[in-house]
Amino acid sequence: MLLRVRVTLPDRPGTLGQVARTLGVSGADIVQVVVLERLGGRAVDDFTVVWPGAARVERLMAGLAAIPGVRVDGVWRAIGAPTTTGQDAELLAQIAANPADGVATLVDAVPGLLAADWAVAAVVPLDWASRAGGSASVAHASWRAPQPPVLPEVTPLRARTLTAGDGTHYALAPFGRAGLVLVVAREHGEPLTAAAFHSIEVDRLAQLVRAGAVILGDRLDLVDAPPVTNVT
């Protein structure tokens, strides 16, 4: 299976090589490395690896944790192939080519781009700011979304990340009109434990949503939510 492994490590020569060797010795085949952050002598790296299904992930996590200065932030299943910058442009091209299904196309594609489990386009009342909270309904859900999807508190409508009490990590990005907000989720599960969405991932999501909103324009006003409300 394809796994995403996020580690925080000292930003010094040799440490990345130690992590890569440990992954290989544990049985992981590295297919992509992405540097999310380099700050204050530390780096945050995402490794996408092919992991033998019969092997125990605990062995991998223990091996990485034994490297001095290395912290394992998360190990979780990734959907689809490793991401590339060209995939974002291809997604926006698909939305532009078929705007009638633009929101659904975005919702279905984002989990694969962000190594998430599922996504939904949620709708909040236009007068949410005058209410105690912004009760949200689901307009579109990706194919892996639970039924009904359990939504976090999506207001205020701004790009951000949050973690629910059950350990599920969310990234949120509003479309800027029609009360629409894209909600992306990584669920908590044992023995795999997903990492929270990094600020780089939230920025990427927000850019995709903003670009999609520009392409779709007034079509966003036609997105209807079903009458059933799913709120937590």
Side-chain angles (χ1 to χ4, degrees), residues 10 12 21 24 33 37 42 50-51 67 109 113 119 160 169 174 204 227:
R12 60 172 181 259
R21 284 192 298 272
V33 182
E37 177 183 312
R42 304 283 288 176
V50 176
W51 181 252
I67 304 173
L113 296 180
R160 57 196 172 94
H169 300 297
R204 183 185 184 189

Short mmCIF file of all heavy atoms in Angstrom, two decimals, residues 10 12 21 24 33 37 42 50-51 67 109 113 119 160 169 174 204 227:
data_model
loop_
_atom_site.label_atom_id
_atom_site.label_comp_id
_atom_site.label_asym_id
_atom_site.label_seq_id
_atom_site.Cartn_x
_atom_site.Cartn_y
_atom_site.Cartn_z
N PRO A 10 16.45 17.18 12.26
CA PRO A 10 17.45 18.25 12.24
C PRO A 10 17.86 18.56 10.81
O PRO A 10 18.10 17.65 10.02
CB PRO A 10 18.62 17.65 13.04
CG PRO A 10 18.00 16.56 13.87
CD PRO A 10 16.89 16.01 13.04
N ARG A 12 20.43 19.19 9.00
CA ARG A 12 21.89 19.14 8.88
C ARG A 12 22.27 17.96 7.99
O ARG A 12 21.50 16.99 7.85
CB ARG A 12 22.54 19.00 10.26
CG ARG A 12 22.15 17.77 11.05
CD ARG A 12 23.00 17.63 12.31
NE ARG A 12 22.65 16.44 13.07
CZ ARG A 12 21.90 16.44 14.15
NH1 ARG A 12 21.39 17.57 14.61
NH2 ARG A 12 21.64 15.30 14.79
N ARG A 21 17.65 5.65 4.75
CA ARG A 21 18.17 4.29 4.96
C ARG A 21 17.27 3.50 5.89
O ARG A 21 17.02 2.30 5.67
CB ARG A 21 19.59 4.36 5.54
CG ARG A 21 20.66 4.71 4.51
CD ARG A 21 22.05 4.47 5.06
NE ARG A 21 22.33 5.32 6.21
CZ ARG A 21 22.84 6.55 6.11
NH1 ARG A 21 23.10 7.08 4.93
NH2 ARG A 21 23.09 7.26 7.20
N GLY A 24 14.29 2.29 4.04
CA GLY A 24 14.63 1.17 3.16
C GLY A 24 14.83 -0.13 3.92
O GLY A 24 14.34 -1.19 3.51
N VAL A 33 9.86 12.49 -2.08
CA VAL A 33 10.19 13.24 -0.86
C VAL A 33 9.83 14.70 -1.12
O VAL A 33 10.24 15.28 -2.13
CB VAL A 33 11.67 13.13 -0.48
CG1 VAL A 33 11.94 13.89 0.82
CG2 VAL A 33 12.10 11.68 -0.35
N GLU A 37 8.92 22.28 5.12
CA GLU A 37 9.36 23.42 5.93
C GLU A 37 10.82 23.27 6.32
O GLU A 37 11.28 22.16 6.60
CB GLU A 37 8.48 23.50 7.18
CG GLU A 37 8.82 24.57 8.17
CD GLU A 37 7.93 24.51 9.40
OE1 GLU A 37 6.69 24.41 9.24
OE2 GLU A 37 8.48 24.54 10.51
N ARG A 42 15.51 23.08 11.80
CA ARG A 42 14.68 21.88 11.71
C ARG A 42 13.99 21.85 10.35
O ARG A 42 13.77 22.90 9.73
CB ARG A 42 13.61 21.85 12.80
CG ARG A 42 14.13 21.96 14.23
CD ARG A 42 14.71 20.65 14.70
NE ARG A 42 13.67 19.66 14.96
CZ ARG A 42 13.92 18.40 15.30
NH1 ARG A 42 15.18 17.99 15.41
NH2 ARG A 42 12.95 17.55 15.53
N VAL A 50 6.03 3.06 -0.87
CA VAL A 50 5.27 1.83 -1.07
C VAL A 50 5.64 0.90 0.07
O VAL A 50 6.81 0.60 0.29
CB VAL A 50 5.60 1.18 -2.43
CG1 VAL A 50 4.87 -0.15 -2.57
CG2 VAL A 50 5.24 2.13 -3.57
N TRP A 51 4.62 0.45 0.79
CA TRP A 51 4.84 -0.35 2.00
C TRP A 51 4.22 -1.73 1.82
O TRP A 51 3.06 -1.83 1.42
CB TRP A 51 4.23 0.35 3.21
CG TRP A 51 4.42 -0.37 4.51
CD1 TRP A 51 3.47 -1.03 5.23
CD2 TRP A 51 5.64 -0.50 5.25
NE1 TRP A 51 4.01 -1.55 6.37
CE2 TRP A 51 5.34 -1.24 6.41
CE3 TRP A 51 6.94 -0.06 5.04
CZ2 TRP A 51 6.31 -1.56 7.36
CZ3 TRP A 51 7.91 -0.37 5.98
CH2 TRP A 51 7.59 -1.11 7.12
N ILE A 67 16.27 7.38 15.51
CA ILE A 67 17.28 8.28 14.95
C ILE A 67 17.34 9.53 15.81
O ILE A 67 16.31 10.18 16.04
CB ILE A 67 16.95 8.64 13.49
CG1 ILE A 67 16.80 7.39 12.63
CG2 ILE A 67 18.03 9.55 12.91
CD1 ILE A 67 16.31 7.68 11.23
N ALA A 109 -11.27 15.36 -6.36
CA ALA A 109 -9.83 15.32 -6.64
C ALA A 109 -8.97 15.70 -5.45
O ALA A 109 -7.85 15.19 -5.30
CB ALA A 109 -9.51 16.25 -7.81
N LEU A 113 -4.86 14.76 -3.86
CA LEU A 113 -3.79 15.75 -3.92
C LEU A 113 -3.17 16.01 -2.55
O LEU A 113 -1.98 16.32 -2.45
CB LEU A 113 -4.32 17.07 -4.50
CG LEU A 113 -4.82 17.04 -5.95
CD1 LEU A 113 -5.30 18.42 -6.35
CD2 LEU A 113 -3.73 16.56 -6.89
N ALA A 119 -13.47 14.46 1.23
CA ALA A 119 -13.72 15.90 1.18
C ALA A 119 -15.19 16.14 0.90
O ALA A 119 -15.87 15.28 0.31
CB ALA A 119 -12.86 16.57 0.11
N ARG A 160 -8.09 27.46 7.09
CA ARG A 160 -7.46 27.09 8.36
C ARG A 160 -7.49 25.58 8.52
O ARG A 160 -8.08 24.85 7.71
CB ARG A 160 -8.19 27.74 9.53
CG ARG A 160 -9.67 27.42 9.61
CD ARG A 160 -10.40 28.38 10.54
NE ARG A 160 -11.84 28.19 10.47
CZ ARG A 160 -12.54 27.41 11.30
NH1 ARG A 160 -11.91 26.74 12.27
NH2 ARG A 160 -13.84 27.28 11.19
N HIS A 169 -8.33 15.15 11.49
CA HIS A 169 -7.76 16.43 11.10
C HIS A 169 -8.54 16.99 9.92
O HIS A 169 -8.86 16.26 8.97
CB HIS A 169 -6.29 16.27 10.71
CG HIS A 169 -5.43 15.72 11.80
ND1 HIS A 169 -5.21 16.38 13.00
CD2 HIS A 169 -4.72 14.57 11.89
CE1 HIS A 169 -4.42 15.67 13.76
NE2 HIS A 169 -4.11 14.56 13.12
N PRO A 174 -12.75 28.49 2.17
CA PRO A 174 -14.00 29.01 1.62
C PRO A 174 -13.86 29.41 0.16
O PRO A 174 -12.79 29.82 -0.30
CB PRO A 174 -14.29 30.23 2.50
CG PRO A 174 -12.92 30.70 2.91
CD PRO A 174 -12.07 29.47 3.04
N ARG A 204 -2.15 25.53 -0.27
CA ARG A 204 -2.39 24.91 -1.57
C ARG A 204 -3.88 24.71 -1.79
O ARG A 204 -4.41 24.99 -2.89
CB ARG A 204 -1.66 23.58 -1.64
CG ARG A 204 -1.79 22.87 -2.99
CD ARG A 204 -1.13 21.51 -2.96
NE ARG A 204 -1.16 20.85 -4.27
CZ ARG A 204 -0.81 19.59 -4.47
NH1 ARG A 204 -0.40 18.84 -3.46
NH2 ARG A 204 -0.88 19.07 -5.68
N PRO A 227 -31.84 19.30 2.03
CA PRO A 227 -32.47 19.83 3.24
C PRO A 227 -31.95 19.24 4.53
O PRO A 227 -32.15 19.80 5.59
CB PRO A 227 -33.95 19.49 3.03
CG PRO A 227 -33.95 18.32 2.10
CD PRO A 227 -32.79 18.54 1.20
#
